[in-house]
PDB file of all heavy atoms in Angstrom:
ATOM      1  N   ASP A  13     222.530 126.209 -37.568  1.00  0.00           N
ATOM      2  CA  ASP A  13     222.759 126.106 -39.062  1.00  0.00           C
ATOM      3  C   ASP A  13     223.878 127.007 -39.443  1.00  0.00           C
ATOM      4  O   ASP A  13     224.644 126.693 -40.362  1.00  0.00           O
ATOM      5  CB  ASP A  13     221.479 126.501 -39.776  1.00  0.00           C
ATOM      6  CG  ASP A  13     220.373 125.397 -39.775  1.00  0.00           C
ATOM      7  OD1 ASP A  13     220.703 124.331 -39.287  1.00  0.00           O
ATOM      8  OD2 ASP A  13     219.207 125.810 -40.104  1.00  0.00           O
ATOM      9  N   ALA A  14     224.063 128.168 -38.762  1.00  0.00           N
ATOM     10  CA  ALA A  14     225.179 129.157 -38.978  1.00  0.00           C
ATOM     11  C   ALA A  14     226.480 128.635 -38.557  1.00  0.00           C
ATOM     12  O   ALA A  14     227.512 129.202 -38.833  1.00  0.00           O
ATOM     13  CB  ALA A  14     224.837 130.541 -38.538  1.00  0.00           C
ATOM     14  N   GLY A  15     226.455 127.589 -37.592  1.00  0.00           N
ATOM     15  CA  GLY A  15     227.703 127.041 -37.020  1.00  0.00           C
ATOM     16  C   GLY A  15     228.177 127.776 -35.784  1.00  0.00           C
ATOM     17  O   GLY A  15     229.321 127.602 -35.379  1.00  0.00           O
ATOM     18  N   MET A  16     227.371 128.513 -35.089  1.00  0.00           N
ATOM     19  CA  MET A  16     227.698 129.167 -33.909  1.00  0.00           C
ATOM     20  C   MET A  16     227.816 128.027 -32.842  1.00  0.00           C
ATOM     21  O   MET A  16     226.851 127.335 -32.498  1.00  0.00           O
ATOM     22  CB  MET A  16     226.691 130.256 -33.517  1.00  0.00           C
ATOM     23  CG  MET A  16     226.724 131.329 -34.583  1.00  0.00           C
ATOM     24  SD  MET A  16     225.605 132.612 -34.097  1.00  0.00           S
ATOM     25  CE  MET A  16     225.695 133.768 -35.579  1.00  0.00           C
ATOM     26  N   GLN A  17     229.045 127.984 -32.175  1.00  0.00           N
ATOM     27  CA  GLN A  17     229.403 126.829 -31.266  1.00  0.00           C
ATOM     28  C   GLN A  17     228.590 126.881 -29.966  1.00  0.00           C
ATOM     29  O   GLN A  17     228.281 125.771 -29.450  1.00  0.00           O
ATOM     30  CB  GLN A  17     230.833 126.846 -31.091  1.00  0.00           C
ATOM     31  CG  GLN A  17     231.697 126.584 -32.281  1.00  0.00           C
ATOM     32  CD  GLN A  17     231.425 125.163 -32.870  1.00  0.00           C
ATOM     33  OE1 GLN A  17     231.485 124.203 -32.180  1.00  0.00           O
ATOM     34  NE2 GLN A  17     231.067 125.172 -34.111  1.00  0.00           N
ATOM     35  N   HIS A  18     228.307 127.963 -29.463  1.00  0.00           N
ATOM     36  CA  HIS A  18     227.686 128.025 -28.075  1.00  0.00           C
ATOM     37  C   HIS A  18     226.554 128.980 -28.102  1.00  0.00           C
ATOM     38  O   HIS A  18     226.530 130.131 -28.537  1.00  0.00           O
ATOM     39  CB  HIS A  18     228.755 128.572 -27.099  1.00  0.00           C
ATOM     40  CG  HIS A  18     229.962 127.708 -27.027  1.00  0.00           C
ATOM     41  ND1 HIS A  18     230.070 126.578 -26.276  1.00  0.00           N
ATOM     42  CD2 HIS A  18     231.143 127.823 -27.698  1.00  0.00           C
ATOM     43  CE1 HIS A  18     231.184 126.010 -26.449  1.00  0.00           C
ATOM     44  NE2 HIS A  18     231.959 126.744 -27.319  1.00  0.00           N
ATOM     45  N   TYR A  19     225.455 128.505 -27.468  1.00  0.00           N
ATOM     46  CA  TYR A  19     224.197 129.246 -27.409  1.00  0.00           C
ATOM     47  C   TYR A  19     223.678 129.170 -25.973  1.00  0.00           C
ATOM     48  O   TYR A  19     223.506 128.044 -25.423  1.00  0.00           O
ATOM     49  CB  TYR A  19     223.184 128.588 -28.250  1.00  0.00           C
ATOM     50  CG  TYR A  19     221.758 129.333 -28.237  1.00  0.00           C
ATOM     51  CD1 TYR A  19     221.629 130.517 -28.904  1.00  0.00           C
ATOM     52  CD2 TYR A  19     220.675 128.676 -27.691  1.00  0.00           C
ATOM     53  CE1 TYR A  19     220.305 131.215 -28.808  1.00  0.00           C
ATOM     54  CE2 TYR A  19     219.398 129.281 -27.638  1.00  0.00           C
ATOM     55  CZ  TYR A  19     219.240 130.532 -28.268  1.00  0.00           C
ATOM     56  OH  TYR A  19     218.017 131.096 -28.221  1.00  0.00           O
ATOM     57  N   TRP A  20     223.454 130.365 -25.341  1.00  0.00           N
ATOM     58  CA  TRP A  20     222.944 130.387 -23.927  1.00  0.00           C
ATOM     59  C   TRP A  20     221.599 131.106 -24.026  1.00  0.00           C
ATOM     60  O   TRP A  20     221.367 132.155 -24.627  1.00  0.00           O
ATOM     61  CB  TRP A  20     223.899 131.104 -22.963  1.00  0.00           C
ATOM     62  CG  TRP A  20     225.172 130.439 -22.780  1.00  0.00           C
ATOM     63  CD1 TRP A  20     225.603 129.309 -23.273  1.00  0.00           C
ATOM     64  CD2 TRP A  20     226.180 131.005 -21.985  1.00  0.00           C
ATOM     65  NE1 TRP A  20     226.901 129.039 -22.892  1.00  0.00           N
ATOM     66  CE2 TRP A  20     227.289 130.107 -22.067  1.00  0.00           C
ATOM     67  CE3 TRP A  20     226.362 132.136 -21.209  1.00  0.00           C
ATOM     68  CZ2 TRP A  20     228.490 130.258 -21.394  1.00  0.00           C
ATOM     69  CZ3 TRP A  20     227.535 132.232 -20.519  1.00  0.00           C
ATOM     70  CH2 TRP A  20     228.592 131.423 -20.544  1.00  0.00           C
ATOM     71  N   TYR A  21     220.593 130.483 -23.319  1.00  0.00           N
ATOM     72  CA  TYR A  21     219.237 131.062 -23.268  1.00  0.00           C
ATOM     73  C   TYR A  21     219.004 131.392 -21.850  1.00  0.00           C
ATOM     74  O   TYR A  21     218.997 130.478 -21.006  1.00  0.00           O
ATOM     75  CB  TYR A  21     218.386 129.924 -23.783  1.00  0.00           C
ATOM     76  CG  TYR A  21     216.862 130.094 -23.775  1.00  0.00           C
ATOM     77  CD1 TYR A  21     216.179 130.629 -24.881  1.00  0.00           C
ATOM     78  CD2 TYR A  21     216.111 129.796 -22.632  1.00  0.00           C
ATOM     79  CE1 TYR A  21     214.791 130.712 -24.927  1.00  0.00           C
ATOM     80  CE2 TYR A  21     214.752 129.963 -22.705  1.00  0.00           C
ATOM     81  CZ  TYR A  21     214.070 130.389 -23.749  1.00  0.00           C
ATOM     82  OH  TYR A  21     212.764 130.509 -23.714  1.00  0.00           O
ATOM     83  N   VAL A  22     218.742 132.688 -21.553  1.00  0.00           N
ATOM     84  CA  VAL A  22     218.546 133.234 -20.174  1.00  0.00           C
ATOM     85  C   VAL A  22     217.005 133.519 -20.056  1.00  0.00           C
ATOM     86  O   VAL A  22     216.493 134.349 -20.818  1.00  0.00           O
ATOM     87  CB  VAL A  22     219.403 134.408 -19.830  1.00  0.00           C
ATOM     88  CG1 VAL A  22     219.212 134.853 -18.414  1.00  0.00           C
ATOM     89  CG2 VAL A  22     220.878 134.177 -20.209  1.00  0.00           C
ATOM     90  N   GLU A  23     216.403 132.926 -18.999  1.00  0.00           N
ATOM     91  CA  GLU A  23     215.065 133.230 -18.733  1.00  0.00           C
ATOM     92  C   GLU A  23     214.745 133.462 -17.236  1.00  0.00           C
ATOM     93  O   GLU A  23     215.600 133.097 -16.393  1.00  0.00           O
ATOM     94  CB  GLU A  23     214.180 132.082 -19.207  1.00  0.00           C
ATOM     95  CG  GLU A  23     214.305 130.769 -18.511  1.00  0.00           C
ATOM     96  CD  GLU A  23     213.393 129.708 -18.955  1.00  0.00           C
ATOM     97  OE1 GLU A  23     212.436 129.989 -19.659  1.00  0.00           O
ATOM     98  OE2 GLU A  23     213.634 128.482 -18.658  1.00  0.00           O
ATOM     99  N   ASP A  24     213.685 133.998 -16.974  1.00  0.00           N
ATOM    100  CA  ASP A  24     213.193 134.304 -15.593  1.00  0.00           C
ATOM    101  C   ASP A  24     212.381 133.155 -15.148  1.00  0.00           C
ATOM    102  O   ASP A  24     211.462 132.583 -15.771  1.00  0.00           O
ATOM    103  CB  ASP A  24     212.382 135.558 -15.562  1.00  0.00           C
ATOM    104  CG  ASP A  24     211.790 135.760 -14.224  1.00  0.00           C
ATOM    105  OD1 ASP A  24     212.530 136.247 -13.367  1.00  0.00           O
ATOM    106  OD2 ASP A  24     210.572 135.524 -14.079  1.00  0.00           O
ATOM    107  N   GLU A  25     212.782 132.643 -13.881  1.00  0.00           N
ATOM    108  CA  GLU A  25     212.056 131.527 -13.295  1.00  0.00           C
ATOM    109  C   GLU A  25     211.801 132.028 -11.865  1.00  0.00           C
ATOM    110  O   GLU A  25     212.735 132.048 -10.982  1.00  0.00           O
ATOM    111  CB  GLU A  25     212.864 130.258 -13.339  1.00  0.00           C
ATOM    112  CG  GLU A  25     212.245 129.049 -12.719  1.00  0.00           C
ATOM    113  CD  GLU A  25     213.043 127.850 -12.780  1.00  0.00           C
ATOM    114  OE1 GLU A  25     213.858 127.618 -11.830  1.00  0.00           O
ATOM    115  OE2 GLU A  25     212.976 127.056 -13.753  1.00  0.00           O
ATOM    116  N   ASP A  26     210.613 132.347 -11.599  1.00  0.00           N
ATOM    117  CA  ASP A  26     210.190 132.797 -10.287  1.00  0.00           C
ATOM    118  C   ASP A  26     211.108 133.981  -9.733  1.00  0.00           C
ATOM    119  O   ASP A  26     211.644 133.909  -8.634  1.00  0.00           O
ATOM    120  CB  ASP A  26     210.226 131.734  -9.243  1.00  0.00           C
ATOM    121  CG  ASP A  26     209.240 130.705  -9.554  1.00  0.00           C
ATOM    122  OD1 ASP A  26     208.125 131.014 -10.144  1.00  0.00           O
ATOM    123  OD2 ASP A  26     209.507 129.383  -9.339  1.00  0.00           O
ATOM    124  N   SER A  27     211.384 135.006 -10.629  1.00  0.00           N
ATOM    125  CA  SER A  27     212.178 136.110 -10.328  1.00  0.00           C
ATOM    126  C   SER A  27     213.711 135.744 -10.227  1.00  0.00           C
ATOM    127  O   SER A  27     214.446 136.579  -9.574  1.00  0.00           O
ATOM    128  CB  SER A  27     211.688 136.944  -9.211  1.00  0.00           C
ATOM    129  OG  SER A  27     210.429 137.439  -9.464  1.00  0.00           O
ATOM    130  N   SER A  28     214.137 134.702 -10.723  1.00  0.00           N
ATOM    131  CA  SER A  28     215.512 134.320 -10.697  1.00  0.00           C
ATOM    132  C   SER A  28     216.012 133.950 -12.097  1.00  0.00           C
ATOM    133  O   SER A  28     215.264 133.401 -12.863  1.00  0.00           O
ATOM    134  CB  SER A  28     215.814 133.089  -9.788  1.00  0.00           C
ATOM    135  OG  SER A  28     215.495 133.409  -8.427  1.00  0.00           O
ATOM    136  N   ALA A  29     217.287 134.305 -12.351  1.00  0.00           N
ATOM    137  CA  ALA A  29     217.829 134.054 -13.742  1.00  0.00           C
ATOM    138  C   ALA A  29     218.163 132.546 -13.805  1.00  0.00           C
ATOM    139  O   ALA A  29     218.829 131.989 -12.882  1.00  0.00           O
ATOM    140  CB  ALA A  29     219.022 134.878 -13.991  1.00  0.00           C
ATOM    141  N   VAL A  30     217.776 131.850 -14.891  1.00  0.00           N
ATOM    142  CA  VAL A  30     218.129 130.499 -15.203  1.00  0.00           C
ATOM    143  C   VAL A  30     218.756 130.567 -16.599  1.00  0.00           C
ATOM    144  O   VAL A  30     218.229 131.110 -17.521  1.00  0.00           O
ATOM    145  CB  VAL A  30     216.817 129.569 -15.206  1.00  0.00           C
ATOM    146  CG1 VAL A  30     217.281 128.178 -15.616  1.00  0.00           C
ATOM    147  CG2 VAL A  30     216.215 129.595 -13.763  1.00  0.00           C
ATOM    148  N   VAL A  31     219.903 129.787 -16.745  1.00  0.00           N
ATOM    149  CA  VAL A  31     220.614 129.826 -18.025  1.00  0.00           C
ATOM    150  C   VAL A  31     220.613 128.382 -18.569  1.00  0.00           C
ATOM    151  O   VAL A  31     221.099 127.472 -17.876  1.00  0.00           O
ATOM    152  CB  VAL A  31     222.063 130.354 -17.871  1.00  0.00           C
ATOM    153  CG1 VAL A  31     222.711 130.319 -19.227  1.00  0.00           C
ATOM    154  CG2 VAL A  31     222.090 131.730 -17.242  1.00  0.00           C
ATOM    155  N   HIS A  32     220.093 128.275 -19.742  1.00  0.00           N
ATOM    156  CA  HIS A  32     220.143 126.960 -20.485  1.00  0.00           C
ATOM    157  C   HIS A  32     221.270 127.027 -21.434  1.00  0.00           C
ATOM    158  O   HIS A  32     221.339 127.928 -22.282  1.00  0.00           O
ATOM    159  CB  HIS A  32     218.850 126.700 -21.228  1.00  0.00           C
ATOM    160  CG  HIS A  32     217.576 126.696 -20.434  1.00  0.00           C
ATOM    161  ND1 HIS A  32     216.973 125.536 -19.968  1.00  0.00           N
ATOM    162  CD2 HIS A  32     216.866 127.759 -19.891  1.00  0.00           C
ATOM    163  CE1 HIS A  32     215.928 125.888 -19.242  1.00  0.00           C
ATOM    164  NE2 HIS A  32     215.880 127.195 -19.123  1.00  0.00           N
ATOM    165  N   VAL A  33     222.218 126.046 -21.284  1.00  0.00           N
ATOM    166  CA  VAL A  33     223.451 126.188 -22.108  1.00  0.00           C
ATOM    167  C   VAL A  33     223.508 125.071 -23.147  1.00  0.00           C
ATOM    168  O   VAL A  33     223.089 123.855 -22.907  1.00  0.00           O
ATOM    169  CB  VAL A  33     224.655 126.005 -21.217  1.00  0.00           C
ATOM    170  CG1 VAL A  33     225.983 125.818 -21.971  1.00  0.00           C
ATOM    171  CG2 VAL A  33     224.794 127.169 -20.265  1.00  0.00           C
ATOM    172  N   TYR A  34     223.794 125.385 -24.421  1.00  0.00           N
ATOM    173  CA  TYR A  34     223.833 124.443 -25.489  1.00  0.00           C
ATOM    174  C   TYR A  34     225.192 124.514 -26.148  1.00  0.00           C
ATOM    175  O   TYR A  34     225.766 125.583 -26.262  1.00  0.00           O
ATOM    176  CB  TYR A  34     222.758 124.735 -26.580  1.00  0.00           C
ATOM    177  CG  TYR A  34     221.466 124.574 -25.983  1.00  0.00           C
ATOM    178  CD1 TYR A  34     220.673 125.574 -25.392  1.00  0.00           C
ATOM    179  CD2 TYR A  34     220.714 123.343 -26.160  1.00  0.00           C
ATOM    180  CE1 TYR A  34     219.432 125.386 -24.918  1.00  0.00           C
ATOM    181  CE2 TYR A  34     219.417 123.146 -25.658  1.00  0.00           C
ATOM    182  CZ  TYR A  34     218.747 124.236 -25.025  1.00  0.00           C
ATOM    183  OH  TYR A  34     217.489 124.012 -24.518  1.00  0.00           O
ATOM    184  N   GLU A  35     225.663 123.420 -26.647  1.00  0.00           N
ATOM    185  CA  GLU A  35     226.892 123.320 -27.465  1.00  0.00           C
ATOM    186  C   GLU A  35     226.571 122.659 -28.760  1.00  0.00           C
ATOM    187  O   GLU A  35     225.835 121.706 -28.798  1.00  0.00           O
ATOM    188  CB  GLU A  35     228.003 122.604 -26.722  1.00  0.00           C
ATOM    189  CG  GLU A  35     228.413 123.229 -25.489  1.00  0.00           C
ATOM    190  CD  GLU A  35     229.466 122.482 -24.657  1.00  0.00           C
ATOM    191  OE1 GLU A  35     229.887 121.470 -25.081  1.00  0.00           O
ATOM    192  OE2 GLU A  35     229.838 123.035 -23.597  1.00  0.00           O
ATOM    193  N   LEU A  36     227.110 123.194 -29.844  1.00  0.00           N
ATOM    194  CA  LEU A  36     226.911 122.606 -31.180  1.00  0.00           C
ATOM    195  C   LEU A  36     227.586 121.292 -31.324  1.00  0.00           C
ATOM    196  O   LEU A  36     228.753 121.150 -30.950  1.00  0.00           O
ATOM    197  CB  LEU A  36     227.409 123.603 -32.194  1.00  0.00           C
ATOM    198  CG  LEU A  36     227.017 123.250 -33.664  1.00  0.00           C
ATOM    199  CD1 LEU A  36     225.466 123.331 -33.838  1.00  0.00           C
ATOM    200  CD2 LEU A  36     227.674 124.204 -34.573  1.00  0.00           C
ATOM    201  N   ASP A  37     226.857 120.240 -31.653  1.00  0.00           N
ATOM    202  CA  ASP A  37     227.401 118.941 -31.933  1.00  0.00           C
ATOM    203  C   ASP A  37     227.865 118.907 -33.392  1.00  0.00           C
ATOM    204  O   ASP A  37     227.067 118.941 -34.336  1.00  0.00           O
ATOM    205  CB  ASP A  37     226.336 117.897 -31.701  1.00  0.00           C
ATOM    206  CG  ASP A  37     226.827 116.517 -31.937  1.00  0.00           C
ATOM    207  OD1 ASP A  37     227.738 116.063 -31.282  1.00  0.00           O
ATOM    208  OD2 ASP A  37     226.259 115.814 -32.916  1.00  0.00           O
ATOM    209  N   GLY A  38     229.207 118.722 -33.636  1.00  0.00           N
ATOM    210  CA  GLY A  38     229.790 118.759 -34.908  1.00  0.00           C
ATOM    211  C   GLY A  38     229.201 117.777 -35.926  1.00  0.00           C
ATOM    212  O   GLY A  38     228.743 118.144 -37.048  1.00  0.00           O
ATOM    213  N   PRO A  39     229.064 116.568 -35.550  1.00  0.00           N
ATOM    214  CA  PRO A  39     228.621 115.503 -36.543  1.00  0.00           C
ATOM    215  C   PRO A  39     227.120 115.713 -36.939  1.00  0.00           C
ATOM    216  O   PRO A  39     226.783 115.514 -38.112  1.00  0.00           O
ATOM    217  CB  PRO A  39     228.743 114.159 -35.700  1.00  0.00           C
ATOM    218  CG  PRO A  39     229.773 114.396 -34.813  1.00  0.00           C
ATOM    219  CD  PRO A  39     229.677 115.838 -34.309  1.00  0.00           C
ATOM    220  N   THR A  40     226.232 116.163 -35.997  1.00  0.00           N
ATOM    221  CA  THR A  40     224.846 116.341 -36.332  1.00  0.00           C
ATOM    222  C   THR A  40     224.494 117.763 -36.819  1.00  0.00           C
ATOM    223  O   THR A  40     223.507 118.034 -37.434  1.00  0.00           O
ATOM    224  CB  THR A  40     223.995 115.970 -35.213  1.00  0.00           C
ATOM    225  OG1 THR A  40     224.185 116.871 -34.103  1.00  0.00           O
ATOM    226  CG2 THR A  40     224.148 114.519 -34.781  1.00  0.00           C
ATOM    227  N   GLY A  41     225.396 118.723 -36.378  1.00  0.00           N
ATOM    228  CA  GLY A  41     225.065 120.136 -36.676  1.00  0.00           C
ATOM    229  C   GLY A  41     223.894 120.721 -35.865  1.00  0.00           C
ATOM    230  O   GLY A  41     223.324 121.791 -36.313  1.00  0.00           O
ATOM    231  N   VAL A  42     223.491 120.162 -34.864  1.00  0.00           N
ATOM    232  CA  VAL A  42     222.460 120.609 -33.956  1.00  0.00           C
ATOM    233  C   VAL A  42     223.003 120.838 -32.533  1.00  0.00           C
ATOM    234  O   VAL A  42     224.015 120.275 -32.126  1.00  0.00           O
ATOM    235  CB  VAL A  42     221.210 119.709 -33.917  1.00  0.00           C
ATOM    236  CG1 VAL A  42     220.627 119.543 -35.330  1.00  0.00           C
ATOM    237  CG2 VAL A  42     221.536 118.420 -33.317  1.00  0.00           C
ATOM    238  N   TYR A  43     222.293 121.630 -31.833  1.00  0.00           N
ATOM    239  CA  TYR A  43     222.742 121.942 -30.413  1.00  0.00           C
ATOM    240  C   TYR A  43     222.385 120.742 -29.544  1.00  0.00           C
ATOM    241  O   TYR A  43     221.260 120.216 -29.621  1.00  0.00           O
ATOM    242  CB  TYR A  43     222.084 123.223 -29.911  1.00  0.00           C
ATOM    243  CG  TYR A  43     222.665 124.504 -30.388  1.00  0.00           C
ATOM    244  CD1 TYR A  43     221.938 125.347 -31.212  1.00  0.00           C
ATOM    245  CD2 TYR A  43     224.010 124.763 -30.143  1.00  0.00           C
ATOM    246  CE1 TYR A  43     222.467 126.488 -31.692  1.00  0.00           C
ATOM    247  CE2 TYR A  43     224.576 125.889 -30.700  1.00  0.00           C
ATOM    248  CZ  TYR A  43     223.788 126.816 -31.470  1.00  0.00           C
ATOM    249  OH  TYR A  43     224.308 127.982 -31.869  1.00  0.00           O
ATOM    250  N   ALA A  44     223.290 120.525 -28.602  1.00  0.00           N
ATOM    251  CA  ALA A  44     223.087 119.480 -27.566  1.00  0.00           C
ATOM    252  C   ALA A  44     223.055 120.252 -26.224  1.00  0.00           C
ATOM    253  O   ALA A  44     223.871 121.073 -26.002  1.00  0.00           O
ATOM    254  CB  ALA A  44     224.190 118.456 -27.533  1.00  0.00           C
TER     255      ALA A  44
END
């Protein structure tokens, strides 16, 4: 909603880092 273009979500998966990457979709205004 604030218009931040890139969002990365880092979580632990069996003691390893996993990164979920999202990019803001301009027409819809939601992360893809």
Side-chain angles (χ1 to χ4, degrees):
D13 289 346
M16 296 179 184
Q17 296 295 307
H18 301 274
Y19 178 75
W20 297 359
Y21 175 95
V22 183
E23 66 178 342
D24 175 74
E25 182 180 87
D26 298 325
S27 298
S28 295
V30 176
V31 181
H32 300 260
V33 173
Y34 295 89
E35 295 177 1
L36 192 63
D37 178 61
T40 64
V42 298
Y43 284 117

